[in-house]
Amino acid sequence: MDYRDEQLREYLQWDIATWKQALAHWDNILSQYCSFAEGHETSDARRLKALDLGARDGGLSLYLAQKDVDVICSDIAGPSDSARELHVRRGVSERISYAKVDATDMPFDDDQFDIVILKSLFAVIGVGNNPEAIRTAIREIHRVLRPKGMMLFAENVAGTALHMKARKLFVPWGRDCYYSTLAELEEMLDIFADSQVQTYGFLSCAKKDFKPFAALDQLICRSPKSPYHYMAFGHATKA
């Protein structure tokens, strides 16, 4: 699906050319998943139910709500006022509720959601060199998903030594984050019955939303999965 620049900015906030790669993947997966779910809901007309973790300004909640999904928009301290304003402005507020949720200790029963979606969350959860906190969050996500439910994710990963150095020098809020390697992320997803991971991004990390770098990344990032890219995205499905 083609999105306007304004939509991409609302969904993703920054580094649009890189992170929109995740949307293309999710659109494809959701089109298949929603058809499957509808085929198994003939006696129950409910919409799919999703949890947006680390939502902050609510962009991914808007993305799902516009696909007729009911969403809990959550963050550890609760979503921002901007999230609520965005949802009202786009006419989807009736499909969205709000909550304070710690991804490592969720206040939900087992098997509650069809979809859990997240962006740029794991690195923050692992702050202070704590990959076990990320594993805990993934186990919690797996627990609250219904059977055949899906996690949709887009995450900063280690990339190259140059990316790691640049983050320490130029991204003050990210200096203590934990950036998993691609292999480490895939190992963490082993709890799921099936997962698919792709990667993207190389130059755009240096200057976000700089169009010449974004254009060069289209040439550099032709491989769908490389440990040299700084963003990983995909989906994981519960048995």
Side-chain angles (χ1 to χ4, degrees), residues 38-84:
E38 288 169 3
H40 287 72
E41 291 294 344
T42 54
S43 63
D44 179 2
R46 68 170 179 83
R47 287 197 293 255
L48 295 179
K49 183 178 179 182
L51 173 64
D52 181 3
L53 286 172
R56 193 167 62 176
D57 292 335
L60 295 186
S61 295
L62 172 63
Y63 167 74
L64 289 177
Q66 288 182 330
K67 295 181 182 297
D68 206 29
V69 176
D70 288 331
V71 188
I72 296 178
C73 178
S74 75
D75 207 299
I76 193 165
S80 68
D81 290 340
S82 296
R84 292 171 169 81

Side-chain angles (χ1 to χ4, degrees), residues 4 11 15-16 26 33 39 43 61 87-88 94 116 149 157 167 180 182 186 197 202 221 223 227:
R4 302 185 310 275
Y11 294 158
D15 199 3
I16 303 304
W26 296 344
Y33 181 69
S43 63
S61 295
H87 300 153
V88 169
E94 74 280 0
V116 174
V157 288
R167 284 162 171 154
S180 305
L182 180 58
E186 291 183 316
V197 183
F202 193 84
C221 300
S223 170

